Amino acid sequence: MSVCLKLTEATIKFGGLVAVNKVSFELKQGDLFGLIGPNGAGKTTCFNIITGVYKPTSGEIEFNGKLIGGTPSNKIANLGIARTFQNIRLFKSLTVIENVVVGGFLRHKTGLFGAMAYLPAQIRETEKLRAEAMELLKIVDLADMASARSADLSYGMQRRLEIARALATQPKLLLLDEPAAGMNPQEKEELNVMVRRIRDQFQLTVLLIEHDMRFVMSLCERILVLDAGTEIASGPPDAIRNDPKVIAAYLGQPA
Amino acid sequence: MKFWLGRTGSILLAFALCAGIQLLADQQSDFVQRLIVLAGLYVTLAVSLNLINGITGQFSMGHAAFYQIGAYTAGFIAMKFYAGAKLPPELWMILSLLTGAAVASVAGLIVGLPSLRLKGDYLAIVTLGFGEIIRIIVQNQPAIGGAYGLSVAPRFEMIWLVWLLAILCIAVCRNLLKTAHGLQFLAVREDEVASSAMGVNVTRTKVTAFLLGSAFAGAAGALLAHFEGFVSPKMFTMDVSFIIVTMVVLGGTGSITGATLAAIGLFFLPEKMRDLPNFPLGNLVATGIGIVIMVIGFRHIAANFHGKMVERVLRYLAILAIAVVIALVLGPIVSKLPTLGVPVEGAKLRMVVFAVTLIVLMLLRPQGIFAHHEFSWAWLRKVLRIDTDKKVTA
Amino acid sequence: MAGLELSTLPQQLVNGILLGSIYALIALGYTMVYGVLKLINFAHGEVFMIGAYAALFASWGLGYTPNNAMSGSNPINLLIMLLASMTLCGLLGVLIERFAYRPMRNQPRIASLITAIGVSLLLQYGGQLFLPSSPAPNIDAKVNPYQDNITIPLRPVDGTLVAAAKQLEAKQIETKTAFDGYLERTKESPFQLSAAGQPFKKAAQDAERDLRTAEGKAEASGLSIRLPKGQMIMLVTTVVLMALLNFLVMHTKPGRAMRAASHDFDAASLMGINVNSTITFTFLIGSALAGAGAMMNATFLSGTKIDTFFGMLPGVKAFVAAVLGGIGNIPGAVLGGILMGLAETLVVWAGYDSYRDAIAFIVLIIVLLFKPGGLLGSNKVEKV
Ligand SMILES: Nc1ncnc2c1ncn2[C@@H]1O[C@H](COP(=O)(O)OP(=O)(O)O)[C@@H](O)[C@H]1O
Ligand SMILES: [Mg+2]
């Protein structure tokens, strides 16, 4: 299996605060990898430097053999990394299906001037993107909400819509930031199944942040634990579960 | 094949409509003709600003500057080249329109650059500043008439072209929104970080919106210059930018239909005031009190009444009736008071009425008249079926 | 370029600071409101305009009407005008907030911005119906008891040049009496001279011109700063008001509530701070300060014409001052105001008189592009 994503001593500072401190890890093609840690540990910030929201202060980020640290977000999306957001960031006043179409837009081939003239090529392309979006909505079980305003969806639905929107970019690597937050146990169970299914169906590599231990442990094959920006443990779920440092970090005691 | 037939049909229809407007306008007085032209230009200005403000969400308040640049460009090239060019007026006008649009869009590019770093009201104030700087610079160039202005020869009265431009501007925006291309503009408005994570080139989208919006404003300026036969910096002050922004926001941010109708409405409303007779100050005070009562009543109903649509409308009408009666009865009474009996010039009310409309509409319907809706037959049917409960239940 | 006359620079710097202190007073209102509500109070300039009218009416009430020749005045008159202006503006600010901004508080900020523009237009054009504006009135300069200047010499005048000018004076008097005598004799009008009179006139004019040139030279050889007493009082008042504001904000309960609300609006309301009364307080203070600025501007910069658009440019410039200092930051507004005043006088001094109103925007754009948080503000990155 080839390496998909590799972080080497990735570091970012905000003023005096070192939010991510020399974090290194490696994801193989097809991995289901979990990133956990207490609040403020720097997990979301890791996503942000991988997806080009922030530029890492030092260290390297490699995606499919290419250094991507500091590349603008939209270029990274084009390279094949898609993400969801912890604090849901949908295009609120757009409809559900329009949200997904925006995700697919990076594959457009027709020009803007044609769109202003509403030429057949652009019409066909729009129809094709809508059809693809509809397929994705079926996968996340939102097909019957396609023309609702996305802000009107329930919390769990919004999280699933974010996943569909990310999938529309046809990524190779999918980053999910707390996808189960705010869901009830049954929804979590369905999500668990869904993440596995989309991983297999689209041959994705998945990197996932989650607070719910049971959820991560049952879903991920490998886990990395961050605390105050630094890695404190990594390995398969069973090893992590019993690691004293991890327990201490979660219970807030000095290790 | 069917597509191209339909397309040719709608283009012909647009031309026929413009020809119709021209024919109608030809019957009218110079004053009415001028109103028809200005209304068309304001439609173009509002709809093009809507692309920047409403659709892409970049709050720009310097639209008058692009209008001005278009107007001065047209005036300048007419002064330099018209006599030598010996072109038929229509062709010259189209060239001048394109030049005005091109030069204005260069300015649009420059003004758009801050939008890459600034958001919301900061961007608003910077674009406002750019507009003023451009006006002050023009005012200090003796070569183009300085503060006195520049006369533009020849005058053309192509009313059809004014409205053709307006229709073109509406069509371009509508077409964009019907394709996936348009969605990226909306996405940038909704959330820049998320759009960019979805691969949307936020920078390019914003700059494109500014380029397109300012190009249309520039074209409108070129038409204005040749219609009036004269341009001066006074025609493009901050107030003009405010009026255009108001049209966009009142129409409903992002709604092309809203921008179009608000442009026409807000343009004619103050014009109608010009021939208002003088009346005692007391009437004005009474009307003010009536308006306050109406606003308070309407807001109260909107916040507290959740019954049937029909009952709700009845309540609104009742409040309106009370407000009108109070204003009518109170007017003559308070005018008896010595200080409130002095006459007021009706014509001075133009901008006052404009300002009051603005405040009242914002207080009663902050999302704008059309909110984010567009006119379509399907939408009209939906509204007429009167469904009070528009929310989708999850 | 008319002239980068270095000798006039110190005087210009002083003028800049005096002008800047008015901008600072207005800027405080913008900054305080923005700090709490994150709203650009577009109508603030119009509050300033109403303040000038309040001062004007107060001065009329005190008897200083255009057709009433008053002699002399006293500080009490000034105080009455100041209080009238501050009270009226404070009330107006509170009213505007209560009826135009509060109902919009849960709406998108753009909607409040449009309402603010509406209020501003309403005061500008609605004011024309009620307030005297054409011809634009001005406050009678006589209401200001401090008419004279304090002169601070920096470099004494050159004695030899003064002596040279003195010598020319005799010649000037001599030719002038000769010309006057000629007119007396012939009963000719100085504008319709016969050929015989022309040499007299020319001699008188030449001598006069030489004298003035020499006097000018002598004066320019020295260097002094002229401080109009009235404007000094303006500066002192500004400083006192700012000290009061500082006390109010830092050491009183409403002030603390205001700081809390501008730090985190929602948290403040959760902590039991009465947000509504805090906002009312903010508008009251901010608008009263604008009123003070307006009264002093209209009184001490004598001859200032007042119309209903009087507040527009100072309003815009003060807003820029607030942004320059870091919007939401009170010392920043003062610093920004002074810098804006200096920038404006320096542009005029450098001979670009017609760009004096553009400089505000140029400064604004530069600041926002390169240091969007302002000089004393912090640059915040959006957290994702
Ligand atoms: N843009 C930013 N500016 C300053 N500090 C930030 C920024 N983004 C994140 N941080 C800080 O970095 C730390 C890690 O945050 P985050 O990655 O969101 O934590 P989590 O592990 O809960 O996702 C926090 O202390 C947060 O306050
Ligand atoms: Mg997080």
Side-chain angles (χ1 to χ4, degrees):
Chain A
M1 277 284 169
S2 63
V3 175
C4 175
L5 177 77
K6 186 173 162 192
L7 268 70
T8 323
E9 307 219 318
T11 303
I12 183 167
K13 294 179 189 157
F14 295 112
L17 176 84
V18 189
V20 174
N21 192 3
K22 296 196 176 160
V23 169
S24 305
F25 61 87
E26 205 177 279
L27 263 67
K28 298 247 172 10
Q29 201 96 55
D31 271 356
L32 242 170
F33 193 98
L35 193 57
I36 64 171
N39 260 329
K43 306 179 297 289
T44 300
T45 310
C46 266
F47 274 24
N48 286 338
I49 57 179
I50 295 170
T51 56
V53 176
Y54 303 136
K55 189 174 161 32
T57 318
S58 66
E60 278 175 1
I61 302 168
E62 209 179 305
F63 175 65
N64 283 345
K66 223 173 161 173
L67 287 179
I68 58 164
T71 312
S73 278
N74 61 309
K75 292 225 173 93
I76 288 189
N78 276 292
L79 287 175
I81 303 182
R83 70 176 289 184
T84 65
F85 294 90
Q86 177 180 354
N87 47 344
I88 303 173
R89 302 187 80 131
L90 288 169
F91 306 125
K92 288 199 184 69
S93 66
L94 302 194
T95 61
V96 167
I97 191 156
E98 282 169 342
N99 267 276
V100 184
V101 171
V102 172
F105 185 71
L106 51 71
R107 280 174 282 115
H108 76 279
K109 292 190 183 65
T110 61
L112 181 72
F113 282 97
M116 290 195 265
Y118 203 47
L119 296 184
Q122 276 77 2
I123 299 174
R124 274 196 303 271
E125 181 170 71
T126 304
E127 277 164 7
K128 181 168 147 271
L129 286 173
R130 286 183 82 91
E132 287 174 9
M134 204 59 204
E135 288 307 310
L136 288 171
L137 286 179
K138 282 180 191 148
I139 290 176
V140 298
D141 200 16
L142 283 173
D144 46 345
M145 303 299 288
S147 52
R149 242 167 61 103
S150 64
D152 295 336
L153 296 185
S154 74
Y155 209 65
M157 286 177 168
Q158 294 197 4
R159 291 227 177 265
R160 296 209 303 270
L161 177 54
E162 275 217 328
I163 296 178
R165 186 179 68 173
L167 286 176
T169 66
Q170 297 191 352
K172 301 185 189 76
L173 171 63
L174 179 64
L175 310 182
L176 301 175
D177 198 342
E178 307 202 9
M183 287 187 173
N184 60 36
Q186 193 206 331
E187 282 177 315
K188 280 185 188 172
E189 193 47 48
E190 287 165 11
L191 181 71
N192 195 327
V193 176
M194 195 175 89
V195 172
R196 271 177 207 286
R197 197 174 67 223
I198 56 181
R199 194 250 325 235
D200 298 338
Q201 184 176 346
F202 299 102
Q203 294 166 353
L204 293 176
T205 309
V206 177
L207 174 58
L208 169 142
I209 296 177
E210 190 45 68
H211 268 304
D212 185 326
M213 278 300 179
R214 186 125 54 111
F215 184 83
V216 195
M217 299 286 172
S218 65
L219 183 59
C220 297
E221 293 139 3
R222 277 199 306 136
I223 292 172
L224 181 133
V225 190
L226 280 184
D227 185 22
T230 345
E231 172 189 333
I232 56 171
S234 74
D238 288 331
I240 298 294
R241 206 190 316 265
N242 302 318
D243 190 314
K245 273 204 260 176
V246 176
I247 295 167
Y250 267 89
L251 297 179
Q253 285 162 356
Chain B
M1 200 54 224
K2 199 170 146 220
F3 171 84
W4 291 111
L5 271 179
R7 183 52 61 90
T8 321
S10 28
I11 292 174
L12 286 179
L13 199 69
F15 271 95
L17 188 64
C18 295
I21 292 175
Q22 177 82 52
L23 284 180
L24 245 159
D26 284 342
Q27 319 283 316
Q28 310 290 329
S29 66
D30 276 358
F31 177 70
V32 175
Q33 285 193 2
R34 188 160 172 273
L35 291 190
I36 294 176
V37 166
L38 289 180
L41 293 179
Y42 269 106
V43 168
T44 309
L45 289 170
V47 174
S48 60
L49 181 66
N50 183 49
L51 179 63
I52 303 175
N53 271 19
I55 295 175
T56 320
Q58 303 308 300
F59 203 75
S60 162
M61 295 214 296
H63 218 51
F66 306 131
Y67 191 34
Q68 173 175 32
I69 289 172
Y72 268 86
T73 307
F76 186 74
I77 60 170
M79 180 172 81
K80 291 270 178 214
F81 306 113
Y82 182 72
K86 302 206 170 50
L87 289 173
E90 282 78 14
L91 188 59
W92 173 265
M93 210 41 241
I94 286 170
L95 280 180
S96 148
L97 209 122
L98 291 175
T99 324
V103 178
S105 65
V106 172
L109 181 69
I110 299 169
V111 177
L113 289 180
S115 76
L116 305 179
R117 299 196 56 171
L118 301 172
K119 287 202 181 64
D121 27 16
Y122 274 90
L123 179 63
I125 207 89
V126 164
T127 47
L128 186 76
F130 260 121
E132 280 296 283
I133 291 176
I134 288 173
R135 191 174 63 81
I136 294 171
I137 290 175
V138 168
Q139 206 164 310
N140 284 293
Q141 305 306 315
I144 47 174
Y148 302 105
L150 179 68
S151 38
V152 182
R155 281 191 62 186
F156 296 133
E157 301 188 345
M158 297 181 199
I159 300 173
W160 61 274
L161 192 56
V162 169
W163 280 91
L164 195 62
L165 179 69
I167 291 175
L168 181 70
C169 185
I170 295 172
V172 162
C173 292
R174 246 195 99 91
N175 287 346
L176 257 186
L177 287 191
K178 281 198 282 187
T179 61
H181 283 269
L183 284 179
Q184 65 175 333
F185 291 85
L186 294 170
V188 167
R189 170 185 84 190
E190 297 290 311
D191 191 327
E192 285 183 21
V193 174
S195 331
S196 152
M198 294 304 123
V200 174
N201 188 335
V202 173
T203 308
R204 194 163 68 201
T205 309
K206 285 181 181 176
V207 169
T208 309
F210 267 99
L211 278 176
L212 274 177
S214 52
F216 275 109
L223 283 168
L224 175 82
H226 278 285
F227 181 79
E228 298 279 28
F230 174 74
V231 284
S232 91
K234 283 192 200 68
M235 295 155 76
F236 309 97
T237 51
M238 257 195 256
D239 285 5
V240 177
S241 290
F242 285 168
I243 289 175
I244 307 170
V245 168
T246 306
M247 289 168 173
V248 172
V249 178
L250 280 191
T253 304
S255 167
I256 301 167
T257 319
T260 310
L261 294 182
I264 296 175
L266 275 184
F267 176 73
F268 280 111
L269 177 79
E271 287 305 325
K272 273 273 147 244
M273 295 290 142
R274 274 192 208 277
D275 28 58
L276 218 62
N278 294 358
F279 57 88
L281 188 55
N283 283 1
L284 191 64
V285 174
T287 313
I289 295 173
I291 291 176
V292 171
I293 291 174
M294 182 190 80
V295 170
I296 294 177
F298 277 21
R299 282 179 63 89
H300 186 79
I301 296 174
N304 301 324
F305 184 77
H306 303 291
K308 276 208 203 98
M309 186 74 169
V310 184
E311 285 175 37
R312 180 190 287 248
V313 171
L314 281 179
R315 267 154 225 251
Y316 278 131
L317 288 178
I319 295 280
L320 190 64
I322 293 173
V324 170
V325 168
I326 288 180
L328 288 181
V329 172
L330 213 56
I333 298 175
V334 291
S335 297
K336 294 275 184 314
L337 296 173
T339 41
L340 293 182
V342 289
V344 172
E345 287 171 55
K348 271 194 176 177
L349 281 180
R350 245 170 62 89
M351 287 304 286
V352 178
V353 170
F354 184 84
V356 171
T357 315
L358 191 63
I359 299 172
V360 168
L361 274 175
M362 276 293 112
L363 288 174
L364 295 181
R365 201 168 157 81
Q367 69 274 48
I369 297 167
F370 273 73
H372 55 272
H373 301 292
E374 288 299 346
F375 176 81
S376 68
W377 297 114
W379 177 74
L380 194 66
R381 241 173 284 139
K382 196 171 135 202
V383 171
L384 289 183
R385 221 176 286 141
I386 306 179
D387 40 349
T388 35
D389 188 16
K390 282 202 207 82
K391 259 184 225 133
V392 185
T393 34
Chain C
M1 266 200 294
L4 283 177
E5 189 94 25
L6 273 181
S7 62
T8 55
L9 185 58
Q11 178 71 48
Q12 293 302 329
L13 292 178
V14 171
N15 291 352
I17 291 173
L18 290 170
L19 182 64
S21 65
I22 291 177
Y23 292 155
L25 281 174
I26 315 173
L28 284 168
Y30 279 112
T31 251
M32 285 159 53
V33 167
Y34 193 93
V36 175
L37 279 186
K38 304 284 173 283
L39 166 76
I40 299 177
N41 178 9
F42 254 98
H44 196 57
E46 277 56 56
V47 171
F48 177 80
M49 173 271 286
I50 296 290
Y53 271 106
L56 175 74
F57 292 141
S59 76
W60 285 359
L62 292 166
Y64 294 85
T65 51
N67 36 26
N68 195 0
M70 299 283 282
S71 59
S73 178
N74 56 50
I76 304 293
N77 286 344
L78 293 181
L79 199 63
I80 291 172
M81 284 163 67
L82 184 71
L83 287 180
S85 180
M86 288 179 74
T87 316
L88 194 69
C89 286
L91 283 179
L92 181 64
V94 169
L95 281 179
I96 292 176
E97 190 276 324
R98 178 64 191 81
F99 291 106
Y101 299 157
R102 191 176 299 179
M104 306 298 291
R105 214 177 283 158
N106 298 324
Q107 301 299 335
R109 261 202 282 160
I110 296 311
S112 327
L113 199 68
I114 296 289
T115 316
I117 292 177
V119 173
S120 156
L121 290 177
L122 179 63
L123 289 171
Q124 283 173 0
Y125 290 94
Q128 284 188 330
L129 301 177
F130 301 90
L131 301 167
S133 61
S134 58
N138 60 283
I139 292 179
D140 190 349
K142 287 197 215 70
V143 78
N144 171 14
Y146 308 101
Q147 298 281 353
D148 46 344
N149 298 324
I150 302 170
T151 310
I152 304 174
L154 296 181
R155 188 174 74 208
V157 289
D158 187 336
T160 53
L161 286 176
V162 177
K166 260 268 163 341
Q167 280 181 346
L168 289 170
E169 203 170 338
K171 176 103 186 286
Q172 188 255 341
I173 292 169
E174 181 191 318
T175 51
K176 182 153 185 351
T177 26
F179 185 44
D180 285 346
Y182 170 82
L183 291 178
E184 189 79 5
R185 265 182 281 121
T186 59
K187 302 276 183 266
E188 278 181 33
S189 147
F191 304 106
Q192 286 172 329
L193 283 180
S194 62
Q198 293 293 355
F200 285 100
K201 185 180 179 185
K202 186 166 176 346
Q205 277 176 342
D206 286 350
E208 169 101 23
R209 197 180 50 238
D210 290 345
L211 173 66
R212 297 289 166 238
T213 321
E215 274 179 353
K217 262 192 199 149
E219 213 170 285
S221 71
L223 202 56
S224 65
I225 299 181
R226 199 172 44 89
L227 301 173
K229 266 193 192 155
Q231 294 186 30
M232 291 315 291
I233 294 194
M234 178 169 98
L235 192 62
V236 172
T237 316
T238 306
V239 172
V240 169
L241 285 174
M242 281 170 190
L244 270 176
L245 176 71
N246 189 51
F247 175 79
L248 217 59
V249 171
M250 302 308 286
H251 301 285
T252 66
K253 212 172 152 198
R256 242 173 273 144
M258 201 176 99
R259 277 187 294 146
S262 73
H263 185 71
D264 187 335
F265 195 90
D266 298 323
S269 65
L270 286 178
M271 299 303 284
I273 287 173
N274 184 338
V275 178
N276 278 341
S277 61
T278 305
I279 291 171
T280 304
F281 177 74
T282 310
F283 271 85
L284 180 75
I285 303 294
S287 306
L289 289 176
M295 176 269 168
M296 295 196 285
N297 184 342
T299 311
F300 295 122
L301 306 181
S302 57
T304 307
K305 295 279 180 207
I306 304 170
D307 63 16
T308 55
F309 300 97
F310 178 63
M312 217 159 87
L313 277 176
V316 168
K317 290 171 188 170
F319 172 74
V320 175
V323 174
L324 175 61
I327 196 149
N329 182 315
I330 290 179
V334 178
L335 176 70
I338 305 275
L339 288 178
M340 280 307 301
L342 283 173
E344 193 176 325
T345 41
L346 288 182
V347 165
V348 176
W349 172 73
Y352 295 98
D353 195 57
S354 43
Y355 288 95
R356 68 182 298 167
D357 296 331
I359 185 70
F361 293 110
I362 295 171
V363 170
L364 176 74
I365 289 167
I366 294 172
V367 173
L368 285 183
L369 287 182
F370 296 103
K371 199 159 180 346
L375 295 177
L376 302 186
S378 57
N379 291 343
K380 289 200 189 83
V381 188
E382 189 193 0
K383 276 196 194 177
V384 175

